[in-house]
Amino acid sequence: MLHRSIKIRLYLQFVTTMATAAIMPFIAIYFSQLVGAEMTGVLVMVVIATGIAGGFLGGHVSDQIGRKKLLVLSEITMGLSFLTIAFFNSPWTVMPYVSFVLFMITMFFSGLYVPVSTAMIFDLVRKQERNFVFTVQYWITNLAMAIGSITGAFLFEGYHFYLFLAVAAVTVVSGLVTLLFIGETFVKPEADGAAVKPASILSNYKAVFKDRTFMIFMTASVLVLSLESHLTNYIAVNLQENMAETTWFGSFSLNGINMTGILQAENTLIVV
């Protein structure tokens, strides 16, 4: 029987991943229409860099202040950021550069959130359950991405304002559920009755970089992810610009945005 908090985290991860997958694969397409493909490429790289910075900090900071506080802070901040993004991409006003700053904030806290959420599950799971739990986590993440991508493929172009609002609401609710129904899972290690002084972030990563096997694995993962990211960036923009609207089976119309969502969903469903 899995710990109650693990079940809640898995449910929340499914819902939040599904919501964000309805918008994130289409962000590059959307902003390329507003500021051009080249500027969008530069801005997307900056946004991704902020997410990487958040990821580097997330695990270390959670070892100082605990998992729960950082999860709640991250989700509430992301929710408020998406709410503000909705306002600046609404029927009343469109401000792409302000939106990119807000996406930087969102991506930074998303970078914080991911390793901390995984660490919270790891804190609670028993050794004999690890393979099952993390397999399920990977499976539900890809299934949620498939559902979200298909939804966004046919709704984002005309209803992105409402999708931003939906993501904001889902993320804030997830943060509140974490606050109210999940307890802190991290316990600082102790030695001889005294708390062990935590290592610095540089010391932690120095130890990681010395692990040759892990570094090979991480390098391979980065290369694979760099290829996968082309689907929602370079390939997506090219599909939007160059794919003529096509009719399937006499009545089903597809354009570049629709095809991006379909390809993303196909990719994740194959994984599932």
Side-chain angles (χ1 to χ4, degrees):
M1 178 67 73
L2 294 179
H3 192 285
R4 173 172 171 266
S5 294
I6 294 178
K7 294 180 181 179
I8 294 174
R9 287 307 313 165
L10 291 175
Y11 291 142
L12 292 177
Q13 184 170 339
F14 178 82
V15 175
T16 55
T17 301
M18 183 170 61
T20 54
I23 61 171
M24 295 310 292
F26 313 101
I27 292 301
I29 295 176
Y30 175 66
F31 282 105
S32 70
Q33 296 171 334
L34 299 176
V35 301
E38 290 184 3
M39 180 58 70
T40 297
V42 173
L43 294 173
V44 165
M45 284 193 292
V46 174
V47 170
I48 291 173
T50 61
I52 294 172
F56 272 104
L57 288 173
H60 179 76
V61 174
S62 72
D63 286 344
Q64 318 305 313
I65 68 172
R67 320 291 194 214
K68 180 176 177 177
K69 291 179 183 178
L70 204 54
L71 281 179
V72 173
L73 172 65
S74 297
E75 291 186 303
I76 296 297
T77 304
M78 285 191 291
L80 294 176
S81 294
F82 275 119
L83 182 63
T84 314
I85 287 168
F87 174 78
F88 287 111
N89 295 272
S90 66
W92 309 288
T93 183
V94 177
M95 300 180 69
Y97 292 105
V98 174
S99 299
F100 265 110
V101 173
L102 291 166
F103 270 113
M104 288 173 61
I105 296 171
T106 302
M107 189 61 69
F108 177 80
F109 281 96
S110 176
L112 284 176
Y113 168 86
V114 172
V116 179
S117 179
T118 302
M120 174 175 273
I121 294 175
F122 190 84
D123 291 339
L124 296 170
V125 70
R126 294 188 293 268
K127 186 174 182 180
Q128 64 271 24
E129 297 172 335
R130 286 178 189 170
N131 186 59
F132 170 75
V133 169
F134 286 103
T135 298
V136 169
Q137 182 189 35
Y138 188 66
W139 182 81
I140 66 171
T141 297
N142 280 278
L143 182 60
M145 288 183 65
I147 297 171
S149 298
I150 284 292
T151 302
F154 295 95
L155 294 181
F156 185 86
E157 190 171 15
Y159 301 96
H160 54 267
F161 170 67
Y162 301 102
L163 289 177
F164 286 138
L165 289 178
V167 174
V170 167
T171 310
V172 169
V173 168
S174 179
L176 293 176
V177 170
T178 301
L179 176 65
L180 297 174
F181 297 103
I182 295 180
E184 180 56 66
T185 63
F186 178 70
V187 179
K188 289 187 177 182
E190 296 184 357
D192 299 326
V196 176
K197 184 179 180 180
S200 69
I201 188 169
L202 293 177
S203 298
N204 283 334
Y205 281 112
K206 185 178 180 180
V208 170
F209 293 146
K210 287 181 178 179
D211 188 329
R212 183 173 179 273
T213 302
F214 180 77
M215 289 304 298
I216 292 173
F217 172 76
M218 187 178 74
T219 302
S221 299
V222 169
L223 292 173
V224 171
L225 288 172
S226 69
L227 289 175
E228 289 184 351
S229 68
H230 285 303
L231 175 57
T232 55
N233 293 297
Y234 178 79
I235 294 174
V237 172
N238 271 274
L239 284 173
Q240 187 273 329
E241 292 181 348
N242 300 316
M243 177 179 170
E245 187 164 321
T246 305
T247 302
W248 284 9
F249 309 114
S251 60
F252 191 63
S253 296
L254 290 177
N255 58 25
I257 294 179
N258 303 148
M259 185 56 70
T260 299
I262 290 171
L263 289 173
Q264 179 75 14
E266 177 190 38
N267 180 48
T268 51
L269 282 174
I270 289 172
V271 172
V272 173

